Each structure stands twice: as structure tokens, then as C-alpha cells.
Amino acid sequence: MKTQILTALKFFLAMTILTGIIYPLLMTGVAQIAFPSQANGSLILKDGKIIGSELIGQKFDSTIYFWSRPSAISYNPIPSGASNFGPTSKALKKQVDDRRIAFATSNSIVDNGTIPPEMIFASASGLDPHISPKAALMQVDRIVKARQFDTEKQQQILNVITKLSEGPQFSFFGDERINVLDLNLELDRLNKK
Amino acid sequence: MNEAIQLIIFLVALVLLAPILGKFMAKVFMGENHLLKPVFGWLERSVYRVSGIKSEVEMNWKTYLFGILLFNFIGMVFLFLLQIFQVWLPLNTEHLPNVSWHLAFNTAVSFMTNTNWQSYSGENTLSYLVQMLGLTVQNFVSAATGIAVVLALIRGLTRKTTDELGNFWTDMTRTVVYVLLPLSILFTIILVGQGTVQTFSHYITATTLQGVHQVIPLGPAASQIAIKDLGTNGGGFFNANSAHPFENPTPFSNFLIMLALIIISAGLVFTYGHYAKSKRQAWAIFITMLILFAGGLALSLWAEYSQNNVLNIAGNMEGKETRFGVMNSILYSVTTTVTSNGSVNCMHDSLSPLSGLVAMFNLMLGEIIFGGVGSGLYGMIIFVFITVFIAGLMVGRTPEFLGKKVEAFEIKMAILAVLAPSIVIKLFSAIACTIPAGLAGLNNAGPHGLSEILYAFSSAAGNNGSAFAGLNTNTVFYNLMMGFGMLIGRFGVIIPVMAIAGNMARKKITPESAGTFKTDNWLFVLLLIGIILIIGGLTFFPPLALGPIVEHFLMNLGVTY
């Protein structure tokens, strides 16, 4: 009995050191050497300042930018989260109806039913960095107008969308998507040209 | 089309890899030579030396069980203390306050029981130190505990006329050193390559393109996420769990995580086959699990792609991520609920009613469809006992399993192991539904509100940890009720299982005769599936009818709450 208790304590200590200290420290070391950018949050710098992370979505609601998805936490990552509204939620129905109208009106869309679902539903993390390429294409006319671009620049935006669109990873995994922050960074670059 | 291909790749990978891993684990646990022995043998021996373990001395079921309870109790107390004192401990980079006593109790129980229910959000509650020194450790050892229990049970079933069931410390050490740790190291590196963070730096404040400050949380996440997925733990480093872009950055990481959720539990079925010296026994159980898994998956996919008349859309994206889409969200939700993992890449609260029902029913069945590492298999073997018992009643013969008589004691224990979690689900849910403290946390009204409560206690009792996360459970009432629910769901099964192991080990093995009811053919598979569904259905149909099922019909009528 007494030896069993002593063994339990010593074994717990051994496991704590092995899996709670050595393992995470070792992994941090390996990660920092092998993948320093990813391990530190895939940060994006502009003029020496951190403007965000490649993986963490940002709120875009200005007419001059591609909009990101609705977010239950307004893209404030502390903490991440979703609406958790159920499929018969009155509150969700109202949100979705409002978003449908808002997106259709701002982007001059005639048929509400063609809006890609990710633009009217909030994501799971509240930080989804992607939208579908289709949702990006729907916003081009609005952005061209807001930025007073000519047809040449409009074509350049379309080229950027093609360039940044990601198909399924390794041709199989996941859905088509485009990173909104990357897209908007390219937009700002176009403006300077 | 692409969806179908992904699904097929997943299932093929599962069926191919599980037997390989199962064979490897059998060699590890039997103490034979294997691939990793030359690499990590020194580590195994060091753990024995440091802890004073005589690795070859075997234990009877009571000593083995005492080791389990003692070791888990120590781990729980340590984790509790870490949380309530985190302010005064190092590596609290964001100066997070001490955790309240009831949340600390809930979290300590939760991680010790391999549930990983989280009443908190990782980003703004726990320091880096608590996450790694407390949670990561429990992620490893709670998984190893489940495997140790199933090893004792398997030995009890396959040995004859003995009291010896193996050495608990040896089983724990081998599980961690040769199975969990190497897989976690490999997986951590892949995850970081895909974009998961692994650092001890402070959180970073960025200034977004629209000029807003955005605080980006960091931490030693990948190392914890790897074991959280492999050990069927499921507790996220960040609140959004596997939906968070830092936990699950790409569709490829998502694919590997789904495989990680299920592969050890699936592999253990074949480990059992090696002990029983019968691949057919293993395949019978594996196919039973696979059929139940596929059935749930098919229903869930159909439901989620069907029209929602409230929102006027089929395949909605509420609580889902663009990079995963509907198919990968549903596949994940079914995989994580059958395996008692409980991490999520979409919000189960926002699933269509019948997809939510599938997830919930998986929890209610007691996490036996692959199930938790170790716990899934011992839970399934409990149902095998009940099945041979009922088959025996039908033909009027003493039931047998693997050549041993299954008698009154085993059946009593088996029923106890089935009843304990069921009582938690129904009784605790009933209490929560009738008092203000229980109803206060609801995020949705109508039948969906009942589903939120029912799901929470099913998750606790099944040691799953996923949630209809709208329910706010960080209250004294829920933290305590859920804590006790998890304890009963875990040890209310482990104790009867160990008693069965001890009792079975003492029995003789009688040779097979013409009258033996075979447990390795299709007839048995179908009977086993039938028994599981009948017991689960009879127990839980009434509350499910009032929750997700009625919600499904109301949704079709366009009713909102």
C-alpha cells in the first residue's frame, strides 16, 4: 500500500517531467528551427509593422475592401468562437435575412439565392481567413467603383483573384477558397501603382 | 465528387492503417521486440528506475485498479492546484487570474477522465504553464489509463486460471513511451509545418488593414494539440478548438487530425485480436464499429445537405469554416463523437437537428463505436457480453466468450457499466431542466434548448467533451454536476470492467464444441449491432424525441424560437 503510493507519486513526477516539460520544450525547439514562421503565428509585416496573421481573419466591412465572413466575435480573437445558434433559432434567421439583403444591396446582386453561404453565416472560429473565390468575384464591381478604378485595374483585380484562389490541397483535400487578407493587401498594392 | 473522394481516402486509410498499428501495439504491450525498442528502450528503463517500478511483477485486478485510482487522483489534485495558483506560477505571460475553485474542479476532473469538457476559453483563462504542465500531461496519462484498463481486460479474457492481469505501471509506461509520445512528436512537426503555433512568446498585437488592434494569441499549442487528437482527449488549446485556424490550419491538417482521432482506438481492436490469437474476432468487432460509424455518417450527411426551411438554404455554413466545407465538418463531427474525442471543427450547436442527433446518439451509446483509446474497446466488449448472454438465453445454453463461461457476476457488472453513464445523462439532464440554475445557461429556446442540456450530460457521461457550446456551463451548478457526471461516466465503467477482468482471468478455457455460439461471424455482428441499437434506442428515444427529432419536424414547418 505504502510502496504503491510512493510509486504512484514518483511515476506521476516522471510523466510530468517527460510529457509536460521535456516534450513541449523539445517540440518548441524543433518547430522554431524547422518552421520559424509558422511556429510564431504566420505573421504578415508591412513597413516593419505587424498587420496580422496569414491564418487569422480580420474584419473587413469598408467598401474599398473584399469583405470577410460574418463573425460572432467581430474578429477579436480573445476568445475565438461562434454564435452557436441552432437551426430553428429566431435570432439566427433574422441575422441571415439581414445579411442576405445587405450583401445583395451593396454588391448589386439581383438574386439573393446566388450569394455563397459563407457570406451570410458566421464561421466556427469567428476568425475564418477565407471566403470562396465566387464570393470574391461578386464584390469586384463594388470595389472598382469605390476605388474609382478603370477597366485595366478591374482586370488586374480579376487576375489577382485567379492567382490567389486555392483549389483542394494536394488536389483532394478541402474546398476552394481565397485568403481575404492576402487579397486586400494586393488591392492596396494596385492602388499605389 | 471531390467530397466523395475525400471520404473514400479517409475510410481506406482507416482500414489499412488500423491493423498495422494494432500489430505494432500488441508487440509493445507483450514486451516483444519492435521497431522503437532500440530507439526508446533507454527511456522505458529510465522511467522504471526513477519510479522504482518492478516491471515484470504482475498484479491482480484489485491492485491494478488501486493503481489506476491512485494515480488518477494524484493527477487530478495536481491539476486543480496548478489552476487555482496560476498567478503565482511562472509562464503566465498574459497575467491571467487564478481560476475559480469550481471551474478548476471541473477542468481537473475533465482532463483526468479523458473527457476534456471545457467550461472555459483557453485564450483568456489558462497560462502556458497550466496548459503544458497540467493539461498536456493529463492528455497523455488519461489516454494511457484507458489503454491500460483494456489491456487488463484483454488479459483477463485470454489467460486462464490466473489472478495476474499485468503491471499497471508497465502498461502506462509502454503506452506513453512507445505509442503516444512517438506519434505525438511526428504529428506535432507536421502540424507546425501546416501553420499551428508552437512558441512561448507573448500574445501579439497587430494593427489590421482597417486600422483596428487585433490581439493574436500564441502558445505551445501544437505539442498539446497532437496528443489531444491522438489520445481521444479533445480539449482545445483555443476556444474554437479544431475550428481555430491555429489549431487546424489547412484541409490537410484536418484530414490528418480526423485520422488521428480514430486510429489508436481502431488499432486496439486488432491488438485484441493478437492477444486472442484470432484475427476473425478482431474483424468482427471492427466491422461492427465500422457499420455503426458509416450508418451515422450517412444520416448526418443527408440531414446536413437537406433543406432548412427556416433559413431557406441547404448545406448552411453557420459555425463552419470555409476551408473545410460541409462534408469535412460532418465527417469530423461524426468521427469526434464516435471516438469520445470531443474536439470539433464545426459548431455542433448549429448543426441540422438530425446531424446533431447523430452526434448526440454516438455519445449516448457509451462511446463504443471505436470510442476512446482503450475505453471504446472495453465498452464494446461489455456489449459483447450482453449479446452472448441474450443469445445464450435464446438457445437455452450457458453463454461463452472466447471459451470462457459468462455467468451472473459478469452480466451484473456489464449492466452496471451500461447503467452508470445512462443514469447520469437522464437524471442529471432532468434536474438541469427543472431548476433555474440549469436553465440559466441556455443559448437557444424550444426543443433546441433541451438538446443543449441533453448533449452536455451525454458528453460528460460518455467522457467525450464536445458540446452544444451555446450552453454556458461555467457556473457552480454546471461545473459541479458535469464534474460528477464525468467521474461516474469514467469510473462507473472502469471499476466493473476491472472486476470482470479479474473474474474472467480465474476461469478455465473449455474447448469449442458444436454448440458454441460463435462470436466471429456475420450473424454475431448483426446481433451485436441490434443489441447496441435496441439498448441505446430504448434508453434514449424519449428525450431524443422531445429534442432533436421534434426540432427536425418543426424546422421543416419553418417554426422558429
Side-chain angles (χ1 to χ4, degrees):
Chain A
M1 175 91 177
K2 205 172 163 191
T3 52
Q4 183 110 338
I5 292 174
L6 209 61
T7 307
L9 283 169
K10 284 193 282 192
F11 182 70
F12 180 71
L13 190 69
M15 285 296 119
T16 302
I17 292 168
L18 178 62
T19 64
I21 298 174
I22 296 174
Y23 162 69
L25 288 182
L26 182 73
M27 290 295 94
T28 308
V30 172
Q32 291 290 338
I33 292 165
F35 305 105
S37 166
Q38 290 95 320
N40 293 305
S42 309
L43 301 175
I44 299 178
L45 295 170
K46 193 178 161 193
D47 311 326
K49 286 195 186 112
I50 299 169
I51 57 152
S53 162
E54 168 93 24
L55 294 174
I56 303 293
Q58 300 187 354
K59 184 171 183 173
F60 287 110
D61 54 3
S62 154
T63 51
I64 61 163
Y65 283 121
F66 285 100
W67 292 345
S68 40
R69 292 186 62 182
S71 160
I73 52 166
S74 214
Y75 287 95
N76 171 15
I78 312 293
S80 51
S83 73
N84 282 307
F85 286 136
T88 53
S89 158
K90 194 175 274 175
L92 178 60
K93 184 179 169 54
K94 183 171 185 320
Q95 281 187 351
V96 169
D97 289 345
D98 290 350
R99 287 173 191 150
R100 266 201 188 103
I101 293 166
F103 193 85
T105 321
S106 321
N107 295 294
S108 318
I109 293 162
V110 185
D111 179 8
N112 266 355
T114 60
I115 301 171
E118 75 273 10
M119 298 315 291
I120 47 175
F121 291 101
S123 62
S125 60
L127 301 169
D128 193 343
H130 298 110
I131 57 176
S132 65
K134 189 182 162 204
L137 287 171
M138 284 184 164
Q139 303 182 49
V140 171
D141 287 349
R142 184 197 82 230
I143 293 165
V144 167
K145 207 192 269 174
R147 293 193 177 232
Q148 296 170 331
F149 278 178
D150 53 21
T151 45
E152 191 192 338
K153 287 214 163 151
Q154 176 165 19
Q155 189 53 44
Q156 284 172 340
I157 296 182
L158 294 175
N159 294 346
V160 166
I161 293 178
T162 316
K163 191 182 82 183
L164 292 179
S165 290
E166 298 173 68
Q169 200 176 5
F170 307 130
S171 17
F172 293 119
F173 302 113
D175 286 10
E176 249 200 334
R177 64 209 182 277
I178 193 160
N179 188 300
V180 185
L181 179 55
D182 285 345
L183 203 50
N184 285 328
L185 278 167
E186 289 289 333
L187 268 187
D188 282 355
R189 259 175 230 136
L190 280 182
N191 236 27
K192 282 183 192 155
K193 275 182 194 165
Chain B
M1 191 57 211
N2 182 264
E3 271 84 7
I5 295 172
Q6 291 180 68
L7 198 56
I8 291 165
I9 295 177
F10 177 76
L11 292 174
V12 168
L14 171 64
V15 175
L16 287 182
L17 292 176
I20 298 172
L21 183 62
K23 189 176 176 190
F24 169 75
M25 289 193 288
K27 285 183 178 172
V28 168
F29 301 136
M30 289 170 168
E32 292 173 6
N33 279 325
H34 55 81
L35 205 64
L36 291 179
K37 205 153 190 178
V39 189
F40 290 114
W42 60 274
L43 190 56
E44 184 192 357
R45 288 188 297 276
S46 315
V47 173
Y48 296 152
R49 204 169 43 244
V50 171
S51 325
I53 293 165
K54 295 189 187 75
S55 66
E56 299 305 319
V57 178
E58 299 224 346
M59 302 171 171
N60 64 26
W61 78 270
K62 283 180 186 158
T63 316
Y64 201 104
L65 178 62
F66 182 65
I68 293 172
L69 299 177
L70 187 64
F71 178 73
N72 279 282
F73 179 72
I74 294 170
M76 185 181 78
V77 171
F78 181 71
L79 181 51
F80 177 79
L81 295 176
L82 270 184
Q83 294 176 75
I84 58 169
F85 295 130
Q86 71 170 358
V87 163
W88 300 294
L89 297 169
L91 275 178
N92 187 344
T93 56
E94 309 309 311
H95 308 288
L96 298 166
N98 288 335
V99 177
S100 71
W101 66 270
H102 51 92
L103 178 58
F105 165 75
N106 183 283
T107 307
V109 170
S110 173
F111 279 74
M112 180 265 285
T113 55
N114 200 253
T115 312
N116 301 31
W117 175 270
Q118 296 170 293
S119 291
Y120 63 91
S121 312
E123 299 95 323
N124 57 6
T125 312
L126 297 180
S127 71
Y128 291 169
L129 186 85
V130 177
Q131 295 256 28
M132 67 182 238
L133 201 62
L135 301 189
T136 304
V137 175
Q138 285 303 318
N139 272 300
F140 275 97
V141 297
S142 67
T145 299
I147 294 179
V149 172
V150 85
L151 287 175
L153 177 63
I154 292 172
R155 292 191 189 109
L157 295 176
T158 54
R159 291 175 176 182
K160 56 184 175 185
T161 54
T162 179
D163 278 326
E164 295 180 341
L165 294 176
N167 182 308
F168 172 63
W169 310 112
T170 307
D171 289 337
M172 291 289 287
T173 308
R174 286 179 179 160
T175 303
V176 171
V177 170
Y178 295 123
V179 181
L180 299 179
L181 204 52
L183 281 173
S184 297
I185 290 172
L186 182 69
F187 199 29
T188 302
I189 295 169
I190 297 175
L191 281 175
V192 177
Q194 292 295 306
T196 302
V197 294
Q198 179 73 21
T199 169
F200 287 97
S201 305
H202 285 260
Y203 292 3
I204 281 171
T205 306
T207 310
T208 68
L209 278 193
Q210 289 201 158
V212 181
H213 286 290
Q214 187 186 42
V215 178
I216 297 174
L218 297 169
S223 55
Q224 187 174 325
I225 292 162
I227 183 63
K228 144 209 150 185
D229 294 320
L230 286 161
T232 57
N233 296 283
F237 196 89
F238 305 107
N239 190 41
N241 211 305
S242 287
H244 198 290
F246 277 164
E247 287 214 32
N248 188 358
T250 65
F252 183 60
S253 69
N254 186 64
F255 172 78
L256 290 180
I257 287 174
M258 290 191 296
L259 211 51
L261 304 182
I262 203 166
I263 198 67
I264 294 182
S265 300
L268 280 168
V269 177
F270 294 98
T271 306
Y272 154 74
H274 282 277
Y275 271 93
K277 296 193 179 62
S278 164
K279 284 188 181 158
R280 286 179 62 93
Q281 294 284 351
W283 278 104
I285 289 185
F286 184 80
I287 287 170
T288 302
M289 291 172 166
L290 201 60
I291 290 173
L292 289 166
F293 173 73
L297 180 62
L299 175 59
S300 188
L301 280 171
W302 172 79
E304 196 63 24
Y305 278 115
S306 299
Q307 178 77 11
N308 177 327
N309 283 340
V310 171
L311 305 170
N312 289 323
I313 197 166
N316 84 60
M317 286 292 285
E318 186 69 23
K320 298 189 185 73
E321 298 281 296
T322 311
R323 62 191 179 285
F324 308 137
V326 174
M327 200 289 290
N328 276 311
S329 299
I330 292 298
L331 179 57
Y332 199 114
S333 81
V334 177
T335 310
T336 196
T337 49
V338 293
T339 57
S340 116
N341 185 285
S343 65
V344 293
N345 82 345
C346 67
M347 292 303 130
H348 291 190
D349 216 347
S350 300
L351 290 175
S352 64
L354 294 186
S355 302
L357 175 133
V358 169
M360 208 184 310
F361 195 57
N362 286 336
L363 313 180
M364 289 168 164
L365 288 179
E367 298 295 4
I368 51 166
I369 309 169
F370 298 107
V373 288
S375 61
L377 184 56
Y378 64 66
M380 181 55 97
I381 290 175
I382 290 293
F383 273 94
V384 169
F385 272 81
I386 295 173
T387 305
V388 295
F389 171 67
I390 291 175
L393 285 182
M394 288 195 268
V395 295
R397 204 170 182 282
T398 311
E400 286 171 25
F401 180 51
L402 302 181
K404 290 183 170 186
K405 287 195 162 54
V406 174
E407 290 161 302
F409 179 78
E410 282 81 34
I411 296 304
K412 275 185 208 158
M413 288 296 129
I415 295 297
L416 199 64
V418 172
L419 278 182
S422 307
I423 287 171
V424 169
I425 297 173
K426 296 183 84 170
L427 193 66
F428 285 24
S429 298
I431 294 170
C433 286
T434 42
I435 65 169
L439 298 169
L442 289 179
N443 184 51
N444 285 281
H448 201 79
L450 175 64
S451 297
E452 283 186 337
I453 292 175
L454 205 53
Y455 196 101
F457 287 107
S458 304
S459 181
N463 294 141
N464 182 279
S466 68
F468 273 18
L471 184 71
N472 171 27
T473 56
N474 191 10
T475 60
V476 177
F477 170 76
Y478 272 112
N479 277 333
L480 291 183
M481 290 288 276
M482 295 289 291
F484 292 124
M486 291 185 269
L487 284 172
I488 297 169
R490 180 75 162 175
F491 297 102
V493 181
I494 284 183
I495 295 170
V497 164
M498 289 304 299
I500 290 176
N503 211 45
M504 289 299 277
R506 284 190 213 109
K507 297 189 181 188
K508 294 194 298 269
I509 292 183
T510 46
E512 212 174 271
S513 72
T516 307
F517 180 70
K518 285 191 183 300
T519 53
D520 60 357
N521 55 16
W522 278 103
L523 177 66
F524 180 75
V525 168
L526 294 178
L527 204 56
L528 181 56
I529 291 172
I531 297 287
I532 290 167
L533 292 179
I534 289 168
I535 291 182
L538 285 179
T539 316
F540 297 109
F541 183 75
L544 287 174
L546 296 173
I549 294 175
V550 76
E551 190 188 15
H552 170 74
F553 291 111
L554 291 169
M555 180 187 80
N556 283 344
L557 296 172
V559 180
T560 57
Y561 289 92

